[in-house]
Amino acid sequence: MYHLPVLKNRRTLLERGEKFISDVYFTDCNLRGRLYGDTCPLESITVFQTAKRIPYSEAVQQNFQPCKVGDSFGPTWWTCWFKIALKIPEAWKGKEVHLRWESDGEGMVWRDQEPVQGLTKEGEKTSYILTECLTENEPYSITLFVELACNGLFGAGQGSMIAAPDPNRKYTLQKAELVVFNSEVQELLTDFEMLLDIVKLLGEGEQRGYQALFTMNEMVNLCDPANPGTWSKARSLAQKFFSQKNGESQHIVHAMGHCHIDSAWLWPYEETIRKCARSWVTAVRLMEKNPEFIFTCSQAQQFQWVKDWYPGLFSQIQHFVQKGQFVPVGGTWVEMDGNLPSGESMVRQFLEGQNFFKAEFGQYCKEFWLPDTFGYSAQLPQLMQGSGISRFLTQKLSWNLVNTFPHNTFFWEGINGSLVLTHFPPGNSYEMKGRVEDLINTLKNNKDKGRANHSAVLFGFGDGGGGPTQLMLDRLQRVQDSDGLPRVHMSNPDRLFSELQADSSLLCTWSGELFLELHNGTYTTQAKIKLENRRCEALLHDIEVASCLALTQTAGFEYPTEKLQKLWRLLLLNQFHDVIPGSCIEIVVEDALEYYNEIEKTGSGLLHSACNALRTSPWLGAGSSPAFLNTLPWERTEVIALTEDGAQTKLALVKAPSVGVSPVTASAESVSTVSITELADGSVRMENGLLSAVLDNMGRLVSLILVQTNREAISDGCFGNQFVVFDDVPLYWDAWDVMDYHLQTRKPIVDVTRPVEVVSTGGLRGSVKFSLQISGKSSITQEVILDANCPYIKFKTKVDWAEAHKFLKVEFPVQVRSPNATYEIQFGHLQRPTHRNTSWDWARFEVWGHKWADLSEHGFGVALLNDCKYGYSVYQNIMTLSLLRAPKAPDANADMGQHEFTYAVMPHAGSFQEAAVIQHAYNLNFPLRLIHDVKVAQPWSAFTLNTSAVILETVKQAEGKKNALVVRLYESHGSSVSAVLSTSLSVQEAWYCDLLERPDTAHPASFTGSKISLTFKPFQIISLLLQLH
Ligand SMILES: [Zn+2]
């Protein structure tokens, strides 16, 4: 064909192409206008609405009412079941026929009692294919059901995505009809779209972009939208362009379908079950049509939901797992928060997850998959390695507000030296769309150019589910190997990581935590969830210890295996990365608190049963005295309350043996008691022989002296236990973020409504109480407690909190100078700077830690302990604990109401290791458990250790073995150390095992019948499988 050479006007050619496929302009004559052919209304459509999420079998029994396109339904969180009768016109033989469905709710098509496809406009899924080519033999009359959830892909935020949901929103059925679909037009549209993107993204500097421009222009010349006979010529021009290949060295993109589904976030857990079904059944349909399509899918809990609620779909998934198309990844129960869960909780995330994947799909996951969590503990590499995983994929550090993380592919080294091969997809997203832009970003952003020639591209709508579409697959198919763009392989995580591993000699190593410089408010938001998490972690620990003692000491005791698993799974679920961080809507908080309630209710019963069973053990009997169970692996001497009825509290000093039971007798040791002195100026002195503290009339620590060394802990002229409140208005992510500038709005709380007064006058316990006004709406009441023999002062705090966008903290300016502070993390601790030298230092103005943080110089330090808080900051010599926030989105009522929590301050001589700060923080979190009505002659201990460096964290029944225990220990000081674990239990054999409890049969532990000798490297975790007699 001859035509005039085109003029040198890039802009008109480019926009000519855009208009040719526009869905807004010129659709009367352009190609887009030809995508759909004839339409035909449905025969009938009727609806049944319900406030509940009910199964299909129940829904179809209901009374359906007539309705029509254009009608509105709802309100938010309701469900509409539509019954559709349709009849395909005979004249459409040979055509591709779709049910076209558009609504602002999330739909699921049911056919012959099974879910067959998701229909979500926001996820670009508005067509259900009835036939790709209508023949004689197909059914022409069909009845379908569409289950429509009255919420969008991202819930129902009022005004903005993360605003609290609008409970009264209505959802409209905008389109429901039969339509002839021209797939050839669709193919051409995709060609045009990809070429256009290449023109735009390669820009004017690349010759390849001009080749795309002229190809596209010539295609417009050749293609007459009204004449299908002209279309194939245009297509072959496009094919010629796309098939011009790259050189051998071109970067390789491993494209994997993915669908990030938050287990709860802007919608409740119950809706997530349906989101999984909608998204995954759609992925299965794509697999049937595209045998090369691979879909990666995480979170065992979501698989369990689908197995329970959609067994037919689950068996299809199992089929595609066997074919290698549906690839389970991650290895954990849910994609948990990477900071807040305890060490043992994280172990259980892997244990429950990996066991599920092994049982249901016959394989363990080989990679940890956590693309969307708000930071990553430095202990994770060791936990992965212990769970059969040496590879890790995430991308969230691309959200850093201050520093750009320097690697995309690297080795990540944990605090014990464990290494895992880590990949951050350079496209900085887990929900790409297979567009040219995603490929170019992947190529350009890669910070390991020349070191790693492979990258992941995860494509598919995410967060609220949705997943990949046929269009995304079609886009990627065109550019598998097209000059100027990275090569695209439909791949899986195993292939990607194997390639990266095979060529890893130039990769760098990042040591320590992956700290996210954003979302630092999530250590504090939704304080009740944090408190319940900590409490339930302790409760499940104690149930397991007590049940193991009962199992070994009491004939006939049944270890509550299934019940414990159920409770653990509830706890693990609430550790999901939008629940425990507090970034979810109010109804999710309600569900989470309900689950914690169930753990506490059922758990208390289990603990009681185990303790009760112990009453028939040889060394304990039924009687009329109280005894105490210490679940921690060291001897404790503590003041405890024998009765808990307020003013009548009866105290005793108890010496409890390591992991054992003790009668309540006066402790043999002579103890100096607590004395309280009221001073003339209204302040109060509290002393117990270890500490001497002076509190002023508003409860501030004017002085805190460590008696042993006569060392003052509080900075001259400063106040410890100083409450402060900050304005807390982030840039956008309300529940998530606290910004650096909040520090400029610090206001001390000095409005005393009830000055300090003495509550307990001394003896075993001295305490004082006072109240402060935070504002007209909020107040604090605090009891400051000093016990005999206790090296710390406890601050038992009640807050009535009714603020908006305020942040409450408490400060301790201490007489300690050190460039680093230490924070407890999972099975260990780490240090962070107390100065703001570099941007990496000051970006950590708000950090997380677990039960304690410490600031020490040589020979002296001060530790802050807590029973449910996670947010800290230590700047210079000021130690600050974050207490409460008041964000308004996505939960408008977050943290409003009453709060109770306890923190403590512990000055100490020597290092925090020597002063047993770690042990005291455990003591504060794991109270001695009272056992009523027993007769116990003398203390009995199940396990003891000969070094305080090693902590016996966990004692549990071994998975799948009735007569074996697993004990888990870790080195807590950061030292190489030898330890001997002694046990009075009747152990036959001891084996090392991994975190999945697989024994290392080549290495039996050094075991002499009652003693096991162990050696630890710093922060090493060791699990032992103990076979009982
Ligand atoms: Zn997420």
Side-chain angles (χ1 to χ4, degrees):
M1 182 196 294
Y2 172 79
H3 51 76
L4 286 171
V6 58
L7 300 178
K8 285 199 169 172
N9 192 339
R10 181 173 178 271
R11 182 183 157 183
T12 54
L13 294 194
L14 177 62
E15 292 195 20
R16 181 191 188 200
E18 283 177 336
K19 296 303 183 306
F20 196 64
I21 60 168
S22 170
D23 56 4
V24 179
Y25 302 104
F26 306 111
T27 51
D28 62 316
C29 60
N30 75 5
L31 186 63
R32 179 79 59 183
R34 300 283 164 172
L35 182 58
Y36 294 103
D38 293 342
T39 61
C40 166
L42 303 174
E43 287 270 293
S44 74
I45 179 162
T46 55
V47 68
F48 162 72
Q49 290 202 72
T50 165
K52 291 192 192 136
R53 298 176 181 87
I54 57 173
Y56 171 88
S57 54
E58 193 183 328
V60 296
Q61 306 292 325
Q62 306 301 319
N63 193 7
F64 284 72
Q65 303 295 326
C67 69
K68 59 183 188 309
V69 172
D71 284 355
S72 288
F73 307 92
T76 304
W77 309 131
W78 277 51
T79 299
C80 306
W81 285 86
F82 294 94
K83 186 176 182 180
I84 290 168
L86 60 89
K87 192 157 178 247
I88 306 173
E90 301 261 345
W92 288 3
K93 276 203 194 81
K95 310 271 192 203
E96 178 165 343
V97 182
H98 291 188
L99 165 69
R100 204 171 167 200
W101 179 278
E102 289 183 20
S103 157
D104 39 11
E106 286 192 277
M108 169 76 103
V109 185
W110 290 78
R111 185 171 183 175
D112 304 329
Q113 290 96 52
E114 285 295 329
V116 289
Q117 201 200 286
L119 283 176
T120 303
K121 198 174 167 189
E122 289 165 284
E124 295 180 4
K125 292 177 197 71
T126 53
S127 268
Y128 169 61
I129 303 172
L130 291 161
T131 171
E132 285 184 10
C133 181
L134 186 67
T135 61
E136 292 276 356
N137 310 323
E138 280 173 86
Y140 282 66
S141 293
I142 300 169
T143 301
L144 300 172
F145 288 87
V146 177
E147 176 189 12
L148 187 81
C150 290
N151 55 260
L153 212 45
F154 292 90
Q158 189 161 20
S160 84
M161 179 180 79
I162 62 163
D166 176 358
N168 300 315
R169 187 182 290 180
K170 288 285 185 182
Y171 296 78
T172 309
L173 178 57
Q174 295 141 348
K175 197 165 271 179
E177 63 186 14
L178 300 187
V179 65
V180 170
F181 181 76
N182 293 320
S183 57
E184 219 184 335
V185 173
Q186 179 61 56
E187 295 288 358
L188 258 177
L189 289 171
T190 308
D191 290 338
F192 272 107
E193 181 213 273
M194 292 298 278
L195 287 166
L196 258 172
D197 282 355
I198 290 170
V199 176
K200 284 191 267 190
L201 287 152
L202 290 186
E204 296 187 45
E206 300 262 355
Q207 136 135 327
R208 186 70 172 154
Y210 282 93
Q211 291 169 349
L213 179 70
F214 296 126
T215 302
M216 183 183 70
N217 186 57
E218 188 62 11
M219 285 168 67
V220 182
N221 288 339
L222 289 174
C223 178
D224 175 0
N227 180 3
T230 64
W231 298 348
S232 66
K233 280 187 196 155
R235 277 232 70 197
S236 42
L237 262 192
Q239 275 159 3
K240 188 176 160 207
F241 175 89
F242 291 127
S243 63
Q244 288 171 328
K245 289 189 171 23
N246 277 295
E248 272 180 40
S249 66
Q250 183 57 279
H251 195 78
I252 294 173
V253 158
H254 293 248
M256 308 172 207
H258 188 50
C259 178
H260 184 74
I261 304 182
D262 289 319
S263 290
W265 180 31
L266 302 173
W267 53 87
Y269 285 125
E270 257 195 22
E271 192 54 46
T272 308
I273 301 173
R274 301 200 296 191
K275 281 178 177 287
C276 294
R278 286 191 287 263
S279 305
W280 297 357
V281 76
T282 307
V284 165
R285 289 295 87 80
L286 287 174
M287 282 171 205
E288 290 166 346
K289 214 176 153 187
N290 307 270
E292 76 288 358
F293 170 52
I294 291 171
F295 180 70
T296 54
C297 192
S298 67
Q299 312 200 58
Q301 167 72 85
Q302 296 187 358
F303 283 97
Q304 180 72 56
W305 279 333
V306 168
K307 187 183 177 200
D308 291 343
W309 292 93
Y310 303 89
L313 171 59
F314 189 72
S315 47
Q316 291 175 53
I317 288 170
Q318 283 179 313
H319 167 75
F320 282 102
V321 171
Q322 291 315 314
K323 286 185 76 178
Q325 283 185 265
F326 206 114
V327 182
V329 294
T332 49
W333 186 247
V334 295
E335 285 188 15
M336 72 280 195
D337 181 82
N339 302 327
L340 309 184
S342 71
E344 188 59 24
S345 286
M346 284 195 171
V347 170
R348 301 305 175 92
Q349 289 284 357
F350 284 104
L351 180 69
E352 287 296 325
Q354 287 286 52
N355 282 351
F356 179 90
F357 291 120
K358 180 76 174 166
E360 299 296 339
F361 305 119
Q363 59 200 44
Y364 290 122
C365 298
K366 289 200 232 166
E367 62 295 300
F368 183 36
W369 189 277
L370 201 56
D372 189 31
T373 287
F374 313 149
Y376 305 86
S377 165
Q379 189 56 275
L380 276 165
Q382 184 175 198
L383 300 179
M384 288 181 228
Q385 289 288 6
S387 308
I389 288 173
S390 56
R391 302 150 162 192
F392 175 42
L393 184 142
T394 183
Q395 65 80 45
K396 199 71 183 184
L397 260 55
S398 67
W399 285 46
N400 269 5
L401 209 59
V402 181
N403 297 286
T404 303
F405 193 78
H407 313 300
N408 284 98
T409 303
F410 60 103
F411 287 101
W412 181 24
E413 183 184 63
I415 52 167
N416 76 320
S418 292
L419 286 178
V420 290
L421 178 59
T422 300
H423 181 66
F424 296 178
N428 295 338
S429 169
Y430 47 78
E431 50 155 352
M432 290 183 259
K433 306 293 186 293
R435 302 193 71 136
V436 173
E437 182 188 9
D438 301 328
L439 302 174
I440 301 274
N441 284 343
T442 297
L443 202 60
K444 288 199 171 158
N445 296 347
N446 180 17
K447 292 179 204 73
D448 293 284
K449 294 184 186 79
R451 299 171 193 268
N453 207 28
H454 297 260
S455 295
V457 160
L458 307 179
F459 63 94
F461 285 94
D463 293 325
T469 62
Q470 184 65 48
L471 177 58
M472 296 176 197
L473 285 165
D474 291 345
R475 288 170 180 154
L476 291 167
Q477 183 273 332
R478 279 162 176 72
V479 291
Q480 291 173 62
D481 190 357
S482 191
D483 191 17
L485 296 176
R487 277 183 283 169
V488 177
H489 291 180
M490 287 293 158
S491 186
N492 61 38
D494 190 35
R495 251 180 267 159
L496 167 71
F497 280 107
S498 298
E499 294 281 5
L500 292 174
Q501 183 76 49
D503 192 14
S504 59
S505 58
L506 292 177
L507 296 183
C508 300
T509 297
W510 177 273
S511 187
E513 69 178 322
L514 297 174
F515 185 86
L516 180 64
E517 295 168 354
L518 197 74
H519 293 358
N520 314 98
T522 61
Y523 320 142
T524 304
T525 306
Q526 300 288 7
K528 285 202 172 74
I529 287 182
K530 268 92 173 162
L531 172 128
E532 292 293 348
N533 177 70
R534 183 77 67 80
R535 230 182 235 174
C536 290
E537 285 178 337
L539 176 61
L540 293 180
H541 169 273
D542 287 0
I543 297 167
E544 291 185 336
V545 170
S547 300
C548 286
L549 299 187
L551 181 72
T552 56
Q553 302 303 311
T554 310
F557 177 78
E558 282 282 327
Y559 191 93
T561 312
E562 283 79 29
K563 282 181 184 152
L564 263 170
Q565 184 187 47
K566 190 175 168 222
L567 300 188
W568 265 112
R569 286 181 168 188
L570 286 177
L571 183 72
L572 300 180
L573 175 56
N574 278 348
Q575 288 170 351
F576 177 74
H577 66 251
D578 282 309
V579 180
I580 195 172
S583 48
C584 50
I585 57 173
E586 188 170 15
I587 51 176
V588 176
V589 177
E590 287 164 6
D591 283 346
L593 294 176
E594 182 60 39
Y595 293 169
Y596 289 125
N597 190 36
E598 187 177 338
I599 296 169
E600 280 171 356
K601 207 166 135 221
T602 310
S604 308
L606 295 180
L607 184 62
H608 182 76
S609 303
C611 291
N612 217 24
L614 281 175
R615 294 167 68 204
T616 63
S617 73
W619 41 268
L620 209 70
S624 58
S625 311
F628 274 88
L629 169 67
N630 173 21
T631 63
L632 297 177
W634 45 79
E635 187 181 277
R636 296 159 71 175
T637 304
E638 276 177 29
V639 174
I640 45 87
L642 292 175
T643 50
E644 288 287 3
D645 46 358
Q648 293 302 307
T649 303
K650 194 179 158 203
L651 300 173
L653 187 73
V654 175
K655 185 170 179 176
S658 164
V659 196
V661 179
S662 162
V664 179
T665 52
S667 174
E669 288 168 29
S670 66
V671 165
S672 73
T673 53
V674 182
S675 68
I676 303 282
T677 316
E678 293 182 71
L679 305 175
D681 61 355
S683 58
V684 176
R685 174 173 288 122
M686 308 174 79
E687 293 165 290
N688 70 351
L690 303 172
L691 300 177
S692 173
V694 178
L695 292 152
D696 71 7
N697 77 330
M698 59 177 79
R700 300 180 301 189
L701 271 174
V702 182
S703 166
L704 175 61
I705 290 171
L706 183 66
V707 173
Q708 175 196 352
T709 56
N710 197 30
R711 169 80 184 242
E712 174 62 58
I714 302 296
S715 271
D716 291 344
C718 297
F719 303 105
N721 198 39
Q722 171 72 64
F723 288 99
V724 283
V725 71
F726 299 83
D727 292 346
D728 186 14
V729 187
L731 299 177
Y732 174 72
W733 296 100
D734 200 356
W736 292 257
D737 283 351
V738 56
M739 309 314 297
D740 48 2
Y741 53 74
H742 87 287
L743 294 168
Q744 306 206 321
T745 63
R746 174 183 178 276
K747 286 181 197 68
I749 295 171
V750 290
D751 187 359
V752 193
T753 49
R754 227 176 84 191
V756 160
E757 61 184 71
V758 176
V759 178
S760 299
T761 52
L764 287 179
R765 172 168 294 170
S767 74
V768 301
K769 208 171 190 172
F770 64 93
S771 299
L772 303 172
Q773 200 71 32
I774 300 170
S775 71
K777 298 167 284 187
S778 306
S779 59
I780 301 172
T781 298
Q782 192 172 61
E783 187 180 2
V784 185
I785 301 167
L786 184 63
D787 281 349
N789 199 55
C790 187
Y792 53 80
I793 297 181
K794 274 190 286 192
F795 300 86
K796 204 173 159 188
T797 315
K798 287 185 186 179
V799 181
D800 217 338
W801 185 241
E803 298 300 312
H805 293 116
K806 299 285 177 189
F807 200 153
L808 179 69
K809 306 185 186 184
V810 65
E811 294 175 346
F812 290 86
V814 296
Q815 280 204 31
V816 178
R817 181 167 172 79
S818 170
N820 290 298
T822 310
Y823 302 84
E824 190 194 33
I825 66 163
Q826 295 80 358
F827 299 118
H829 57 261
L830 50 69
Q831 296 196 318
R832 301 189 185 103
T834 57
H835 56 74
R836 294 176 184 163
N837 282 359
T838 71
S839 60
W840 293 88
D841 300 328
W842 64 254
R844 287 179 282 175
F845 58 86
E846 176 82 14
V847 299
W848 63 272
H850 284 186
K851 300 186 289 290
W852 58 270
D854 182 82
L855 185 65
S856 286
E857 54 191 39
H858 179 68
F860 180 80
V862 179
L864 267 186
L865 323 179
N866 75 77
D867 73 347
C868 64
K869 297 297 172 193
Y870 296 89
Y872 294 93
S873 55
V874 181
Y875 176 53
Q876 295 180 343
N877 68 322
I878 301 170
M879 306 180 75
T880 306
L881 183 66
S882 299
L883 302 176
L884 291 170
R885 297 187 67 223
K888 300 299 168 193
D891 174 2
N893 299 308
D895 280 320
M896 295 299 98
Q898 309 268 338
H899 295 272
E900 285 192 41
F901 48 85
T902 297
Y903 55 87
V905 62
M906 177 176 166
H908 58 82
S911 67
F912 69 84
Q913 291 97 330
E914 290 157 349
V917 163
I918 302 169
Q919 281 75 8
H920 285 292
Y922 269 92
N923 292 349
L924 185 70
N925 280 270
F926 293 80
L928 294 168
R929 302 273 184 187
L930 186 60
I931 308 177
H932 289 288
D933 303 330
V934 288
K935 186 177 74 197
V936 53
Q938 53 198 4
W940 177 85
S941 163
F943 292 99
T944 51
L945 278 156
N946 69 338
T947 166
S948 63
V950 174
I951 291 177
L952 172 61
E953 172 75 26
T954 303
V955 181
K956 68 183 281 287
Q957 188 187 47
E959 297 289 300
K961 298 186 177 73
K962 275 207 165 352
N963 204 34
L965 306 183
V966 162
V967 295
R968 192 166 359 267
L969 310 98
Y970 73 97
E971 199 289 319
S972 68
H973 285 177
S975 61
S976 295
V977 65
S978 298
V980 176
L981 175 68
S982 304
T983 180
S984 61
L985 305 185
S986 175
V987 174
Q988 194 172 12
E989 290 174 347
W991 299 89
Y992 289 102
C993 66
D994 67 4
L995 299 178
L996 303 183
E997 306 185 4
R998 298 176 293 186
D1000 181 354
T1001 47
H1003 295 101
S1006 160
F1007 174 60
T1008 64
S1010 67
K1011 289 182 192 309
I1012 302 168
S1013 298
L1014 303 162
T1015 56
F1016 286 83
K1017 295 266 189 316
F1019 304 119
Q1020 187 183 357
I1021 303 164
I1022 291 180
S1023 303
L1024 298 168
L1025 186 66
L1026 305 181
Q1027 186 62 47
L1028 302 171
H1029 274 292

